[in-house]
Amino acid sequence: MSSVQLPLTRESVLEAHALIRSLIHCTPVFTSATLSKLASSGDTNVNLLFKCENLQRIGAFKIRGATHALARLTDEELQKGVVTHSSGNHAQALALAAREASSVRGFKIPCYVVMPRISTPSKIAATEGYGAQVVFSGSTSAEREAEVRIVQEKTGAVLVPPYDHPHIVLGQGTMAVELARQAEEELGMPLAAIIAPCGGGGMLAGVAVACKGTGVKVFGAEPREGADDAWRGLRDGERVDSVKSLTIADGLRTPVGLVNWGVISDKSYVSGVYTVSEEEIKLAMKLVIERMKILIEPSSAVPVAVALYNKDFREEVWNLAQGKDVNLGIIISGGNTTIDQIIQLFGVKS
């Protein structure tokens, strides 16, 4: 990536938003009386406000960071193209961002995406559909990174990492800028806090940076099934650098990046990280799909599950209320799943 890096500040997030807002969707904020009632206690009303990044371009928030990262590269850097490794939403995000940037810059920006051979065929097809050249690799991170180096040696392409870079973080933080404004100006419900899922931590760190100094508290949510590396890292005072998990929230099977850990481990940015079980994630996903009528992927259900089922987090939110209503923003990170995957997940028999 470019040697000129912006500082991780709220001002930088606002600059990022001004730069990319015409190239992304300002996704809607939905509410649900049913889910809000479930999150509330007898004497405290908790209003849940859902920032629906499942309705974002490419079906997930990742387009924000990819678009911002490319916007910060020079024409000279982009001439040789960009490369990344991803089996998920970042692959499609970078492919689309490169295609859009090509139109803006007036020249073709090659995009190379290293994907494991075992990647879902629909995700490979979508990545290629946005114009990327897919290069296949083994499934381990070491194998993917080795293939990226080969691509870079051959082409000189610039690496755009999925989450662990300041420009990615700042791009992801733009969703919090929108959410806070929409909550206050459109709904008349100013936020007390936001909770976001945490995998590599780019989104959570971005949201935290965007909210710094605003009075809005920020929390993270993780699956308890092996992918709770941020929670364990905070407990032990040291970043966990590897994750082995088969959690259904497959978008969160990633250790927190170095850049992102610097933000997430600072309590003045992130007030805490909370975890939930696989069954709780499934229950939350089912509730959102059935009650809100929107399609979400399992990773998106993790912060919803924390708000509904994690006793410690619920008490934290009730304490924020101090006898009044409290407005909690929840990031719905994406909706890139299929009916077949949902049927398999819930064990529906035909």
Side-chain angles (χ1 to χ4, degrees), residues 25 117 135 142 156 179 187 205 228 239 244 250 271 273 339:
H25 294 328
R117 292 181 187 87
V135 180
L179 171 55
L187 299 173
D228 58 346
R239 186 179 79 94
K244 291 183 179 179
D250 56 345
S271 296
V273 173
I339 296 299

Side-chain angles (χ1 to χ4, degrees), residues 57-248:
R57 301 187 75 182
I58 71 101
F61 75 98
K62 291 280 190 176
I63 190 65
R64 295 176 180 271
T67 300
H68 181 242
L70 264 60
R72 294 297 181 184
L73 295 173
T74 66
D75 284 358
E76 185 180 359
E77 288 169 317
L78 289 172
Q79 292 279 1
K80 294 180 179 179
V82 291
V83 62
T84 197
H85 57 88
S86 170
S87 59
N89 294 331
H90 181 66
Q92 296 169 60
L94 188 65
L96 178 58
R99 191 179 79 183
E100 296 289 297
S102 296
S103 299
V104 173
R105 303 288 181 118
F107 59 86
K108 168 73 173 172
I109 300 169
C111 179
Y112 309 94
V113 178
V114 174
M115 302 185 78
R117 292 181 187 87
I118 61 170
S119 298
T120 307
S122 61
K123 290 186 176 180
I124 296 171
T127 304
E128 291 178 329
Y130 287 124
Q133 180 179 327
V134 173
V135 180
F136 293 108
S137 72
S139 56
T140 69
S141 58
E143 289 171 312
R144 286 181 292 180
E145 288 165 7
E147 200 64 47
V148 166
R149 286 192 292 272
I150 292 171
V151 171
Q152 286 185 290
E153 288 168 5
K154 288 180 178 177
T155 65
V158 177
L159 173 63
V160 180
Y163 52 84
D164 202 22
H165 189 280
H167 294 172
I168 297 290
V169 172
L170 295 171
Q172 316 304 26
T174 60
M175 72 183 77
V177 174
E178 293 176 0
L179 171 55
R181 179 190 58 77
Q182 290 166 296
E184 184 160 8
E185 297 179 9
E186 296 177 13
L187 299 173
M189 302 167 72
L191 295 176
I194 298 175
I195 184 166
C198 182
M203 183 206 317
L204 179 57
V207 168
V209 170
C211 292
K212 181 71 169 175
T214 65
V216 177
K217 284 184 171 288
V218 174
F219 300 92
E222 287 186 310
R224 198 171 294 141
E225 185 61 49
D228 58 346
D229 59 294
W231 181 86
R232 285 183 283 124
L234 292 172
R235 178 195 64 192
D236 300 337
E238 185 177 12
R239 186 179 79 94
V240 177
D241 61 8
S242 65
V243 166
K244 291 183 179 179
S245 174
L246 292 177
T247 176
I248 58 172

Side-chain angles (χ1 to χ4, degrees), residues 208 212 216-219 234 261-274 316:
K212 181 71 169 175
V216 177
K217 284 184 171 288
V218 174
F219 300 92
L234 292 172
W261 178 250
V263 175
I264 293 168
S265 61
D266 184 339
K267 281 198 79 89
S268 72
Y269 284 92
V270 176
S271 296
V273 173
Y274 296 84
E316 176 87 24

